[in-house]
Amino acid sequence: MESFLISKSGLKPLPRIYIRPITGLVPRNYFSKPRFLHTSKCFSDLKVTTPLKVASVEEDEEINERMDGINKIGEQEEETIFDPAAPPPFNLADVRATIPQHCWVKDPWKSMSYVVRDVALVLSLAAAVVYVNNWLVWPLYWVAQGTMFWALFVLGHDWRISHRIHHQNQGHVENDESWHPLTEKIYMSLDNNELTWRFKFPFPLLVYPFYLWGRSPGKTGSHFDPNSELFVPSERKDITSSLCWTAMAAILVGLGFTMGPMLLLKLYGVPYWIFVIWLDFVTYMHHHGHQDKLPWYRGEEWSYLRGGLTTLDRDYGWMNNIHHDIGTHVIHHLFPQIPHYRLIEATKAAKPVLGKYYREPERSGPLPFYLIGVFIRSLKEDHYVSDTGDVVYYKTDPNIFKSA
């Protein structure tokens, strides 16, 4: 349809207006800046005035500043995006080089002083509670003594073979030994009872003795069986855990006859389960529960360094000194030969090289109650990983405890 304009000489058709396409480079703010309206010569014969809204210079500058700010934020976000699964730009030797030489030196006298300290506290607590023998004091004793059992365990836990396997294979889906993820196939094969013990609070805090007998789902063997697949043939004649366990069981039976089973239960039985809670809680929290999903590896993607870098440091408040700074877990995993009384210094020295691969722990109050919420959240979210893929992340089963 043709348009017309009215002039002194009558009706005249308007000239067609053709929009010229934009070619070449276009300035970034070409479309964002307000542009002044203008009139075409074809309307010069009309005696009509139209109010035009013109942006002020101040408004124009404000819009430009906002657009520049948005662009800068986008550029900063692109620069700060971090992929925890990317191979680190450093190697294990680079991290080792940052740690002072004296951190590697073991002091036998200092090491044994911690053993003497812990054993003395264990004996003192037992003697004190028997002397007082008040039901208001017993619960305090159970917590304190169970914590000291855990502290003693920390001093000697790197001696055992299965824990060495954990250190050597940290972050590997199938080869890791401690709180490794379940594959989807294994997860789907678990019944409700097994799911409860693995994922429903507080049952995962009580699984350590059962793990010693039967290991984790998907793995076979026992820590008490020298023929278990845990041990290579050369290690089967060097298994002392069964002998030590048998000796300890005999001692407890003898004490039961001497002091009575009830007193033995109060002195040793209840604190033992407090120790189990500490062990399961701490070992889980050092490998789970970060606010960002952390990778697990298989095949060629796994390496000792990349697996160790998925470990988490945790702050336990007053407990740090009691359980020998086990919360400094990243460096402990990368270099287990560093004595525990040098871990804090070694961690501070290594952090500049580790960069974002080191995740600063949240600071705790006097007691680490905040970690209970982190633990429960992880149990609700971290259920299984894919059966395939060399870099995988935990997935969530929203119907974990719902029947079909």
Side-chain angles (χ1 to χ4, degrees), residues 13 17 31 83 86 92 118 131 170 172 194 212 220 263 266 269 308 315 317 321 325 336 343 365 368 392:
I17 299 176
F31 296 103
D83 180 9
L92 198 62
D118 288 359
Y131 178 79
Q170 163 59 30
H172 194 290
E194 292 171 313
L212 292 180
T220 59
L263 183 56
K266 292 190 296 182
D315 182 23
N321 181 262
D325 295 314
L343 284 174
V392 294

Side-chain angles (χ1 to χ4, degrees), residues 1 69 77 157 179 197 216 231 234 241 244 257-258 267 315 376:
M1 181 175 178
E77 288 179 349
H157 76 285
W179 287 115
W197 278 99
S216 302
F231 314 115
S234 61
S241 57
C244 292
F257 280 108
T258 302
L267 278 175
D315 182 23
I376 295 174

Side-chain angles (χ1 to χ4, degrees), residues 135-185:
W135 276 104
L136 295 177
V137 177
W138 278 106
L140 299 177
Y141 164 81
W142 293 332
V143 173
Q145 190 70 297
T147 301
M148 291 313 304
F149 286 179
W150 159 242
L152 270 173
F153 175 88
V154 170
L155 288 178
H157 76 285
D158 284 325
W159 297 348
R160 301 315 310 140
I161 294 172
S162 61
H163 193 74
R164 185 193 66 203
I165 295 174
H166 166 56
H167 271 263
Q168 292 176 341
N169 297 278
Q170 163 59 30
H172 194 290
V173 175
E174 284 82 17
N175 296 342
D176 200 350
E177 182 64 27
S178 178
W179 287 115
H180 64 89
L182 303 178
T183 62
E184 185 173 4
K185 181 179 180 180

